[in-house]
Amino acid sequence: MDKLIIEGGVPLQGSIQVSGAKNAALPILMACLLAEGKVSLTNVPRLADIRTSLKLLNILGCETTFEDNAATSLCTGLKPEAPYDLVKTMRASVLCLGPLLARLGEAKVALPGGCAIGARPVDLHLRGFERMGAEFEITEGYIKGRCKNGLKGARIALDFPTVGGTENILMAAALADGETEIENAAREPEVVDLANFLNACGAKITGQGTSVLNVKGVSSLIGCDYRIMPDRIEAGTYMVAAAITGGELEILDCPFQDLDAVSYKLREMGVWLQEEDNYVLVRRANGLLENVDVTTLPHPGYPTDMQAQLMALMCFGTGIGTIEEKIFENRFMHVLELVRLGADIRLKGRTAMVKGVGSLKGAPVMASDLRASASLVLAGLAAEGTTTIERIYHLDRGYENIEAKLSGVGARIKRVAG
Ligand code: UD1
């Protein structure tokens, strides 16, 4: 397995390009199942999860291409089964459930298991589809869904603004018979991007970006050309990279408007951020960073996907900061690895108390999930000496060309085949 070896201590300087958003591209690829005719997507990040999604589209009956960040999909003869082999490698596969139910009236999708960051059930997705007339049976590790008379528009009030659940229901509702209203919907920018894509294919969705989505079902959707939004989490990770190394980065194609909660916390810590026409400039305002208290929340709150990165930064701050994780019950796998680098972090339930120690020392560490891996890279960039990160396949699921992008701004980072 590949490893990353980082020689820390170089202040990063220069420009770094943000790629297309993984979490927008994944649901949009599944939404291709809804469209008649060809869909052409640009700004698609070259990531392991994208390749898995394309493989899933192939299995479900689409012809796909993927070259130079451009992907196409053309559904020829849809099939209803998403096998366990694929779903187990990527939870987001469950997003094919809504499109399959809408187009075929049936779906058989492997039940995603647990994952490193928590139980992550899909009960809210299923409850939403049931309101639209679908019936489910969970058997032999599969969710088998059927809607004999087609999906009917419904009023669906979500118990929690689940991102995947909102997306799945939104896709199903686009082709359902009649009007659907999703209340307490997720407001994440990636949900907005999906809604915009669906509208570009002919859907009638309003309210995206608010907690009430209204969908007037249409009888068909037609493929279109669409550019995936830039990745706010990747951009936020590079903001932290500038701050943690005491460098200065221009972050190109940065969706700054989607990063309010992150930029608020970074500024509170003493990071200087300035938005220019097509980039955001980031550097430490003065030598010191002051630790802060953060709680992860659904958008527009502080994103759970930027929690681990902020924790790495707080290791270099002064004073004690707290990080409360309210979205996933077990998303602190990076804590013990950061402690291996010399961090002083205490965990109490869903709260981590981070005492700034000013510096970390390189060591071998292990990546456990995507954002945990990102926090270890950030810590390694700023630590004294050598940090070796194992199991970086997690990182390859979410960060396009990370070592090339970071070495382009001065980091001493290399990938070694293991
Ligand atoms: C998406 C993102 C992920 C991000 C997360 C929260 C993608 C591919 N992934 O994941 O990067 O960290 O949003 O912003 O876009 N839940 C239930 N029942 C359900 C659905 C969810 O209890 O039916 C719970 C989950 O266990 C979790 C919480 O709700 O505790 C949030 O999950 P959700 O918003 O659905 O996250 P994902 O869509 O899986």
Side-chain angles (χ1 to χ4, degrees), residues 22-24 26-27 49 91-92 95 117-126 160-165 167 186 188 190 232 297-299 303-305 326-329 331 350 370-371:
K22 168 183 86 82
N23 285 356
L26 295 181
D49 278 6
R91 275 186 50 83
L95 293 175
I117 60 173
R120 296 177 98 176
V122 290
D123 55 321
L124 302 177
H125 302 222
L126 302 190
F160 179 85
T162 151
V163 173
E167 291 168 343
E188 269 67 5
E190 295 77 16
R232 65 190 166 108
L297 288 170
H299 193 77
T304 175
D305 285 352
K326 286 240 186 153
I327 307 293
F328 293 112
E329 71 277 10
R331 200 172 208 182
R350 288 180 161 221
L370 172 54
R371 306 304 168 186

